[in-house]
């Protein structure tokens, strides 16, 4: 993705959330310059991938296939003693008509909640047992496999069964529980408006826990056509080094 696209996407979501009275924490507005001054007291933000996350999943057409994410809180698979939280919370902002491609998670259980705006259409499949077992192949982009079996899910506390490839529409206020190994694709229903989703889930690591049905890139490669206005979590390593920054202040 171009950095100019990422800048525009973050500003778009900031404006939409402000208009819908969804406030963000202060670190949502940290500039790259400010990140160079941040000390070790806020290392959890960087360690646990909190903050902005914009992706086109490697398709190069963000308006059609993409997602804007802001992560409020998260645990950490690598440092469970330092960060014992076993949960995460995010805003997932879906543009009118925008698609999230088919994928599942090996580890993460998640509830997807339509908090406002338009309708969200979700298509679901189970994966096959051998697909789920082939973690190395899945991470390498090997094509996935849909199972021809019913999908069992829960909509707002009500157990539901839908056929393989079945579709569920979440209106504002509704939610769905998605289990590991359940392929899901969604689209903001065209013409109903942008969708403000919340995700409440187990600890999440998007570097290792996304299995796409077809080859996809969860963290985008960025073309730096302009300077960043705000950072994504993947940018922190280039701007935030608390040990060096502390030494420079000493």
């Amino acid at each position: 993705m171009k950095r100019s696209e990422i800048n525009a996407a973050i500003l778009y979501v900031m404006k939409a959330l402000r208009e819908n009275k969804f406030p963000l924490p202060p670190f949502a507005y940290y500039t790259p310059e400010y990140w160079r001054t941040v000390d070790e007291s806020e290392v959890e933000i960087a360690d646990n991938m909190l903050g902005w996350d914009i992706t086109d999943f490697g398709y190069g057409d963000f308006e059609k296939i993409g997602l804007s994410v802001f992560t409020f809180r998260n645990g950490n698979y690598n440092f469970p003693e330092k960060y014992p939280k076993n949960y995460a919370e995010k805003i997932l902002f879906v543009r009118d008509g925008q698609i999230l491609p088919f994928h599942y998670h090996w580890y993460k259980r998640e509830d997807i909640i339509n908090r406002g705006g338009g309708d969200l259409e979700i298509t679901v499949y189970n994966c096959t047992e051998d697909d789920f077992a082939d973690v190395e192949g899945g991470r390498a982009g090997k094509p996935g496999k849909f199972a021809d079996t019913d999908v069992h899910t829960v909509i707002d506390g009500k157990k539901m069964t839908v056929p393989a490839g079945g579709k569920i529409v979440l209106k504002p206020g509704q939610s769905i529980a998605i289990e590991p190994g359940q392929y899901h694709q969604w689209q903001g229903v065209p013409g109903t408006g942008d969708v403000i989703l919340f995700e409440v889930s187990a600890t999440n690591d998007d570097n290792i826990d996304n299995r796409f049905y077809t080859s996809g890139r969860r963290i985008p490669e960025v073309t730096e056509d302009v300077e960043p206005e705000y950072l994504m979590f993947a940018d922190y390593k280039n701007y935030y080094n608390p040990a060096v920054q502390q030494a420079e202040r000493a």
Side-chain angles (χ1 to χ4, degrees):
M1 290 186 70
K2 292 182 179 179
R3 181 64 68 173
S4 55
E5 290 182 279
I6 294 166
N7 287 345
I10 292 173
L11 292 170
Y12 185 97
V13 175
M14 284 181 171
K15 181 175 183 291
L17 295 179
R18 191 163 52 245
E19 290 173 347
N20 285 275
K21 297 183 170 29
F22 282 97
L24 293 169
F27 69 87
Y29 303 99
Y30 287 2
T31 63
E33 294 75 20
Y34 188 81
W35 266 109
R36 295 188 188 280
T37 73
V38 174
D39 64 27
E40 198 168 37
S41 66
E42 295 185 87
V43 70
E44 180 173 344
I45 298 172
D47 282 353
N48 293 0
M49 300 181 289
L50 309 187
W52 293 106
D53 172 14
I54 310 297
T55 182
D56 64 359
F57 300 99
Y59 286 89
D61 189 355
F62 174 76
E63 294 288 336
K64 182 178 180 181
I65 303 175
L67 187 65
S68 301
V69 181
F70 186 87
T71 301
F72 293 95
R73 65 202 90 254
N74 194 14
N76 194 305
Y77 292 143
N78 298 312
F79 305 105
E81 293 183 2
K82 183 177 181 181
Y83 300 115
K85 291 177 184 176
N86 59 0
Y87 54 87
E89 180 192 14
K90 302 178 180 182
I91 281 179
L92 311 174
F93 194 92
V94 182
R95 304 279 189 97
D96 190 317
Q98 196 174 42
I99 294 170
L100 170 83
F102 276 113
H103 70 292
Y104 67 75
H105 310 287
W106 285 283
Y107 312 116
K108 183 177 72 168
R109 285 176 168 81
E110 57 188 342
D111 280 10
I112 303 298
I113 309 151
N114 186 341
R115 290 296 192 195
D119 299 340
L120 188 77
E121 182 183 75
I122 304 178
T123 307
V124 291
Y125 288 90
N126 294 316
C127 71
T128 62
E129 290 185 8
D130 58 329
D131 184 0
F132 192 80
D134 187 13
V135 177
E136 184 177 345
R139 289 179 182 162
K142 181 180 177 180
K145 297 179 181 179
F146 293 145
D148 187 21
T149 55
D150 289 344
V151 178
H152 302 290
T153 187
V154 178
I155 307 292
D156 298 317
K158 180 179 180 179
K159 293 181 180 179
M160 294 187 66
T161 300
V162 296
K167 298 180 184 297
I168 299 161
V169 175
L170 295 184
K171 300 272 186 191
Q174 292 187 296
S175 66
I176 184 172
I178 298 174
E179 297 293 317
Q182 289 182 340
Y183 275 112
H184 51 289
Q185 173 184 279
W186 68 52
Q187 181 177 26
V189 176
T192 66
D194 298 340
V195 188
I196 301 172
L197 303 178
F198 271 56
E199 177 188 305
V200 177
S201 76
T203 297
N204 172 230
D205 187 340
D206 278 317
N207 291 301
I208 62 171
D209 194 23
N210 290 280
R211 198 283 187 253
F212 290 96
Y213 182 69
T214 56
S215 183
R217 177 182 290 275
R218 178 58 183 83
I219 312 301
E221 291 185 352
V222 179
T223 300
E224 303 290 355
D225 60 327
V226 298
E227 292 296 317
E229 296 190 40
Y230 300 97
L231 299 184
M232 300 188 294
F233 76 77
D235 297 318
Y236 294 155
K237 63 184 180 295
N238 298 322
Y239 292 84
Y240 179 56
N241 189 324
V244 170
Q245 287 159 202
Q246 183 175 352
E248 290 175 347
R249 286 193 292 269

